[in-house]
Amino acid sequence: MTKGTAGPEGDAATSPSGGPPERAPRRIVVIGGGMAGLVAARTLLRRGLRVTVLERSGRFGGTVDGRLLGGFQLDSGAESFSTRSATVPALAAELGLDGRIVTPDATGAWVQLPGRDLRASAQPLPSSGVLGIPADPSDPAITAVIGRSGSLRAALDRVLPVGPLATRKKVSLGELVRTRMGEEVLTRLVAPVAGGVFSADPDDLDVDSVAPGLRATMARLGSLGAAAGALRQAAPAGAAVAGLVGGMAQLRDALVAELTADGADLRTGEQVTGLVRSGTGWTVTTEHSTLTRRISADGVLVATEGRAAVDLLAPAIPALAAERPDPVPGVALVTLIVDVPELDAAPRGTGVLVARGVEGVAAKALTHSTAKWAWLRDQAGPGSHVLRLSYGRVGDTPADVGLATPDGALYRHALADASALLGVPILEADVLDWDVVRWAGALPHASVGHRERVARIRGLVADQSASLAVTGGWLAGTGLVAVIDDARARAGVLADALAEGPAVAL
Ligand SMILES: Cc1cc2nc3c(=O)[nH]c(=O)nc-3n(C[C@H](O)[C@H](O)[C@H](O)COP(=O)(O)OP(=O)(O)OC[C@H]3O[C@@H](n4cnc5c(N)ncnc54)[C@H](O)[C@@H]3O)c2cc1C
């Protein structure tokens, strides 16, 4: 089938009275309808601009999505948000969802360490620091995980001079922790936490991006432990994360409903394939089933994943091609709904983070969702449980279990891994339902030098035109707080620029 081409979409801004044309509000096209695109669209709409959101897939929300499984409404991607900032609670309140905010069960998560006896090598994960970095390595809960010698080595952090690590450019989380506190803290505490949150190795993570302020606080207070403790104390009391009764996908649903009611033009199934300057504005080309469309816009905000963003922008800004992010391995999530009354006791709290090198376990993390969220536990009733296991991390080889592993094999791994990690046999006969959700390229991580790279990208985009902006997790950093804050900020700058410039010539 050949594709048709529709005429250009634009505004013939004639006045109803037949007089001189009235100036229609400027039109912004937002490319990508994930949380970044939706939140940016909301800001732009509130600034009086006309907004069109073009989303490639058949739904909005990107990595925020849900589905029904075994009668439960479950999140398919993000299932919580950080409470270290008021960003998400404030947005939820504006959208009428504040009454649904809940914190997870206080029992906390465990870490599974390598060892001949898996049960004996599982420990509650201490929660006194930041990203697994302990505030006080001599705390017995920490010594239980890193051992006596690990604890003694970590204590050197208190006496070592701060040195250039506090100020040098480009320091990884791994280098900082290894140098200050030693290998045991790194591999047994920090790496499992970083792997669970970012699907990345601490040696690949830019410390200033994943723990902003940590190095500056270390320089001020004289040790990494003191800095981790201070950052932890500065965070609001209570749990570090929260969720929504009924799941995080409601945030997406509420945003879409509000944008629709406020007159945004929201389109799914529209893959943007081209972006060129035209006059003072832009022409956006989209492919929608068999039709190629051209849309004129005064401004464009690109809110796709990183590789897609660079592919769209590089024809206009060739220097961006060198900044195309490396592919990320992606994750596969296996959800099991099981009838296993022994799990009512929540044997590993809210779940388990798995350190590298644990033999016989392929999962990198297990969330015991019915132990973590009371609303889900109440829905399930005694004996029934929801378990979510994740597979795939940076550095995996094709032989590792991950995104490319077929469903049936992932399911068998999930049964074996859940049994091993929870210390309770879970058989096929116990399974009420299960599924696999795959996220390809969905967890970009802030690799070393991230902030400089982001500054270069933003500079190149700004040099091209004030009517162009770029946002999304690949620049802002993984997590809803960073993504929402950045989307709002970029949309605000774009709205300011368009308030000053001339409207697009049509
Ligand atoms: C499994 C998983 C669990 C997570 N858990 C949490 C969590 O618990 N808490 C938390 O805070 N964060 C979590 N995150 C991270 C969080 O979900 C993301 O950081 C955030 O949602 C990213 O939003 P985004 O809009 O930048 O990108 P995306 O969600 O990737 O959205 C980009 C959108 O652009 C669209 N697009 C791409 N190319 C085009 C094109 N050419 N034309 C039109 N549209 C296009 C895509 O289809 C997609 O919808 C998780 C992520 C994953 C994958």
Side-chain angles (χ1 to χ4, degrees):
M1 199 188 321
T2 52
K3 280 192 185 264
T5 306
E9 289 182 28
D11 314 300
T14 46
S15 114
S17 61
E22 282 171 7
R23 202 162 95 166
R26 291 192 164 88
R27 179 190 218 177
I28 312 291
V29 167
V30 175
I31 306 174
M35 289 306 283
L38 295 175
V39 167
R42 185 170 188 259
T43 301
L44 293 164
L45 210 57
R46 291 179 158 218
R47 295 287 301 270
L49 295 152
R50 273 195 313 146
V51 180
T52 298
V53 181
L54 303 174
E55 165 55 42
R56 173 181 61 186
S57 74
R59 57 164 189 87
F60 292 105
T63 47
V64 174
D65 192 26
R67 83 280 184 216
L68 264 180
L69 181 69
F72 298 100
Q73 180 62 44
L74 300 176
D75 282 318
S76 305
E79 49 112 50
S80 63
F81 54 87
S82 165
T83 50
R84 283 169 209 278
S85 128
T87 297
V88 182
L91 177 63
E94 285 168 31
L95 294 167
L97 293 169
D98 41 340
R100 305 190 78 81
I101 295 178
V102 280
T103 49
D105 197 272
T107 47
W110 287 49
V111 59
Q112 178 64 62
L113 301 165
R116 221 175 292 151
D117 178 351
L118 278 191
R119 194 179 289 245
S121 331
Q123 297 285 341
L125 192 65
S127 60
S128 63
V130 167
L131 282 177
I133 303 170
D136 175 8
S138 63
D139 178 336
I142 304 288
T143 312
V145 178
I146 61 175
R148 272 295 288 150
S149 60
S151 171
L152 286 172
R153 166 62 186 88
L156 275 183
D157 169 53
R158 285 207 208 106
V159 291
L160 286 172
V162 166
L165 258 189
T167 46
R168 208 186 72 207
K169 275 193 176 174
K170 300 192 183 177
V171 174
S172 73
L173 176 66
E175 183 186 1
L176 182 68
V177 174
R178 186 181 290 112
T179 310
R180 300 293 316 177
M181 292 189 163
E183 204 64 33
E184 298 299 305
V185 170
L186 181 62
T187 55
R188 297 169 85 85
L189 286 168
V190 176
V193 175
V197 177
F198 304 107
S199 284
D201 191 280
D203 284 322
D204 289 335
L205 289 169
D206 185 79
V207 67
D208 298 328
S209 301
V210 296
L214 184 66
R215 287 204 295 158
T217 313
M218 180 176 96
R220 191 162 50 80
L221 300 180
S223 76
L224 180 59
L231 290 197
R232 182 74 187 203
Q233 272 191 358
V241 297
L244 295 177
V245 174
M248 288 302 293
Q250 292 167 103
L251 199 62
R252 178 270 317 266
D253 298 341
L255 269 172
V256 169
E258 190 199 83
L259 287 168
T260 308
D262 290 349
D265 173 14
L266 302 182
R267 307 185 192 178
T268 53
E270 296 261 9
Q271 166 147 16
V272 176
T273 52
L275 183 59
V276 290
R277 286 296 290 273
S278 59
T280 57
W282 296 89
T283 298
V284 178
T285 306
T286 80
E287 307 286 342
H288 178 84
S289 57
T290 57
L291 206 61
T292 299
R293 256 196 273 266
R294 295 211 162 69
I295 304 174
S296 302
D298 297 287
V300 169
L301 192 145
V302 179
T304 64
E305 304 92 343
R307 291 166 72 82
V310 169
D311 292 346
L312 280 175
L313 291 165
I317 313 172
L320 265 186
E323 307 291 351
R324 193 167 190 256
D326 291 335
V328 284
V331 287
L333 302 176
V334 185
T335 301
L336 304 174
I337 313 235
V338 297
D339 248 345
V340 180
E342 293 92 317
L343 294 180
D344 290 356
R348 297 291 179 271
T350 56
V352 190
L353 294 167
V354 184
R356 272 195 195 271
V358 175
E359 278 185 27
V361 174
K364 65 165 188 161
L366 176 152
T367 304
H368 187 166
S369 306
T370 31
K372 186 169 183 180
W373 304 109
W375 62 269
L376 203 52
R377 180 161 63 243
D378 293 346
Q379 248 181 47
S384 297
H385 290 272
V386 180
L387 308 172
R388 174 165 120 163
L389 294 101
S390 50
Y391 293 87
R393 44 180 144 198
V394 169
D396 280 356
T397 66
D400 287 309
V401 182
L403 196 68
T405 309
D407 281 10
L410 277 171
Y411 169 61
R412 287 188 293 279
H413 277 292
L415 277 180
D417 290 349
S419 304
L421 292 170
L422 294 166
V424 172
I426 301 172
L427 311 174
E428 206 154 354
D430 301 323
V431 178
L432 303 175
D433 210 344
W434 65 279
D435 74 355
V436 175
V437 174
R438 290 167 205 275
W439 294 107
L443 277 168
H445 65 273
S447 53
V448 178
H450 182 74
R451 299 216 306 188
E452 291 80 3
R453 200 172 313 118
V454 171
R456 274 198 309 276
I457 293 168
R458 296 221 190 274
L460 288 168
V461 171
D463 287 349
Q464 166 64 218
S465 167
S467 62
L468 181 66
V470 58
T471 188
W474 69 290
L475 297 170
T478 291
L480 294 172
V481 171
V483 165
I484 292 171
D485 284 346
D486 191 66
R488 280 195 177 131
R490 298 298 137 198
V493 172
L494 184 59
D496 289 344
L498 288 166
E500 288 155 17
V504 65
L506 293 166

